[in-house]
Amino acid sequence: MIRDEANLAWALALAAKPHLDALERNYTFVTIGAGETFAAIHTLLKWVAIKRIPVEPDLARRCISWLDAYVGHRDERYLRRLIEHFVVPIAIDLPATLTGNRLPTTPHRTQPAALTTV
């Protein structure tokens, strides 16, 4: 779980990085580097909500799963509200151009297939 939490913290930090000022970035990277991943994720989720920072839907789902490990924690309800009311809706509203370059799932033919007789 510790590795998963660190991976989530870094993923959130990378998603938020372009939207953070120098002090916010420094705080984030130092906090994660010091092993304070819960504090970093807590702050990053707050900034995602306040700044309306877009996150990928998969990252939003990872935040929900991560928080399930903290049921009963004093900050759980606050963080759950942030995720459910801000992070997930922002992830859902991502424009298609921000979700990556997806290849079509069906091949496109440029010429009709040749008919062969046997």
Side-chain angles (χ1 to χ4, degrees):
M1 164 143 148
I2 293 171
R3 180 188 297 165
D4 292 339
E5 186 169 79
N7 289 338
L8 175 61
W10 283 116
L12 277 171
L14 292 176
K17 183 180 176 184
H19 306 275
L20 303 178
D21 64 33
L23 289 174
E24 292 165 335
R25 283 192 306 273
N26 287 341
Y27 168 83
T28 299
F29 297 134
V30 167
T31 304
I32 296 170
E36 297 293 330
T37 52
F38 180 88
I41 293 169
H42 185 285
T43 303
L44 284 162
L45 289 173
K46 182 178 70 173
W47 287 335
V48 166
I50 291 169
K51 297 176 181 239
R52 309 276 305 151
I53 297 171
V55 297
E56 293 285 335
D58 181 59
L59 185 53
R61 283 188 292 277
R62 288 175 59 195
C63 291
I64 293 167
S65 295
W66 164 79
L67 190 55
D68 289 343
Y70 287 96
V71 171
H73 186 278
R74 63 183 171 91
D75 292 329
E76 179 212 356
R77 287 180 29 202
Y78 169 73
L79 292 169
R80 195 164 303 279
R81 279 194 310 273
L82 285 179
I83 293 167
E84 290 174 358
H85 295 290
F86 297 99
V87 178
V88 170
I90 293 169
I92 291 170
D93 289 340
L94 268 178
T97 57
L98 291 178
T99 58
N101 186 7
R102 304 245 197 296
L103 296 174
T105 56
T106 57
H108 292 270
R109 291 190 176 155
T110 55
Q111 296 178 353
L115 294 175
T116 57
T117 55
V118 180

